């Protein structure tokens, strides 16, 4: 039991500190608003930035996790998500998700297929997100995202409060300049977190 605990925390450490294959340059707090903090990390080897968003919600951890893996309803709160569906259930803790994002003219929609894996450990739960593009051919009118990786990390503060963290790096592909992506990279997580918080806190009142 003690050995598995050590392995879990080592894995989490590498997720938080050695998550991206790029050479890390600098991490800074880019937004601190309405109880939501968004940190951005610059890298030496890519112009795109990784973000880490953090907040505390007044909802229990299971309520939050249920919303994060409810693929049919992700568009209800996830920023710019136009459509989402379950492609395949691998197990009770692993799935393949398809998501399509509407970015608005003149930028084409983006889509991606992700392997989503839930890891539970006492008062903590982690959801890993990795590309899984072999199962679905590219769809017309979309640019397929292939270079991304991320995770959700949730920690039970008490029966009614949960720490929520998301860390994502993604290359939008196509001809979108990096400076345009980086200009709005805090808006996506902020809007998503705000909508997610409202959703889970309303559910927790029922």
């Amino acid at each position: 039991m003690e050995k598995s605990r050590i392995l879990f925390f080592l894995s989490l450490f590498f997720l938080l500190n050695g998550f991206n294959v790029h050479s890390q340059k600098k991490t800074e707090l880019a937004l601190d608003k309405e109880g939501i903090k968004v940190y951005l990390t610059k890298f030496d080897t890519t112009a795109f930035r990784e973000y880490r968003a953090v907040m505390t919600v007044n909802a229990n951890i299971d309520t939050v996790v249920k919303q994060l893996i409810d693929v049919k309803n992700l568009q209800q709160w996830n920023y710019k998500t136009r459509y989402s569906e379950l492609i395949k259930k691998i197990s009770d803790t692993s799935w393949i998700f398809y998501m399509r994002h509407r970015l608005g003219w003149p930028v084409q929609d983006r889509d991606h297929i992700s392997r989503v894996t839930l890891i539970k450990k006492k008062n903590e739960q982690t959801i890993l997100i990795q590309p899984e593009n072999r199962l679905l051919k590219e769809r017309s009118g979309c640019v397929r995202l292939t270079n991304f990786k991320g995770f959700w990390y949730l920690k039970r503060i008490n029966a009614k409060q949960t720490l929520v963290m998301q860390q994502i790096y993604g290359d939008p592909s196509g001809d979108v300049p990096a400076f345009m992506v980086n200009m709005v990279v805090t808006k996506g997580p902020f809007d998503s977190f705000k909508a997610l918080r409202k959703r889970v806190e309303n559910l927790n009142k029922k």
Side-chain angles (χ1 to χ4, degrees):
M1 181 65 72
E2 186 63 29
K3 183 177 179 181
S4 64
R5 239 176 122 186
I6 293 171
L7 287 173
F8 173 79
F9 285 112
L10 280 174
S11 299
L12 185 60
F13 174 82
F14 286 116
L15 275 173
L16 296 175
N17 297 286
F19 170 72
N20 204 281
V21 295
H22 299 288
S23 174
Q24 185 169 320
K25 189 174 182 181
K26 182 181 180 182
T27 299
E28 60 183 16
L29 178 63
L31 183 147
D32 186 352
K33 184 179 177 182
E34 297 181 39
I36 299 167
K37 293 183 178 181
V38 181
Y39 299 85
L40 298 181
T41 298
K42 297 179 181 179
F43 300 98
D44 293 327
T45 50
T46 176
F48 298 105
R49 298 180 186 180
E50 177 182 83
Y51 75 78
R52 181 186 300 175
V54 185
M55 69 176 174
T56 298
V57 298
N58 294 318
N60 66 65
I61 192 170
D62 291 329
T63 298
V64 181
V65 170
K66 186 176 180 180
Q67 294 307 304
L68 298 181
I69 61 176
D70 181 10
V71 64
K72 291 182 179 180
N73 291 302
L74 292 178
Q75 64 268 29
Q76 299 295 324
W77 59 268
N78 199 52
Y79 183 71
K80 295 292 186 180
T81 299
R82 178 179 183 180
Y83 176 76
S84 54
E85 67 174 309
L86 177 68
I87 300 299
K88 183 179 180 181
K89 179 179 178 180
I90 299 171
S91 69
D92 289 338
T93 57
S94 186
W95 310 267
I96 305 296
F97 288 179
Y98 171 82
M99 296 177 67
R100 179 167 176 161
H101 307 281
R102 176 182 288 166
L103 302 181
W105 186 90
V107 181
Q108 272 190 298
D109 284 4
R110 262 55 179 174
D111 71 353
H112 62 88
I113 301 106
S114 302
R115 177 185 290 265
V116 178
T117 305
L118 174 63
I119 302 169
K120 295 184 178 182
K121 192 71 174 182
K122 291 192 176 180
N123 293 325
E124 298 170 310
Q125 299 191 40
T126 303
I127 300 171
L128 305 181
I129 304 166
Q130 298 173 297
E132 188 64 78
N133 288 297
R134 297 171 297 171
L135 298 181
L136 200 65
K137 293 182 179 179
E138 292 188 19
R139 297 181 175 181
S140 62
C142 278
V143 175
R144 176 62 50 84
L145 303 180
T146 59
N147 183 13
F148 65 90
K149 200 171 183 181
F151 66 89
W152 289 90
Y153 169 72
L154 302 104
K155 183 174 182 178
R156 180 184 183 274
I157 297 173
N158 55 49
K160 296 182 179 180
Q161 285 189 310
T162 303
L163 173 71
V164 180
M165 177 193 298
Q166 184 194 42
Q167 184 167 312
I168 295 286
Y169 168 81
D171 184 331
S173 300
D175 56 358
V176 183
F179 79 90
M180 290 183 63
V181 176
N182 292 330
M183 283 173 61
V184 297
V185 71
T186 58
K187 179 174 174 55
F190 175 76
D191 286 0
S192 292
F193 268 49
K194 191 174 178 180
L196 175 63
R197 181 173 60 193
K198 181 179 180 180
R199 187 174 180 84
V200 297
E201 290 184 352
N202 285 339
L203 287 170
N204 212 60
K205 291 175 183 177
K206 295 180 179 180

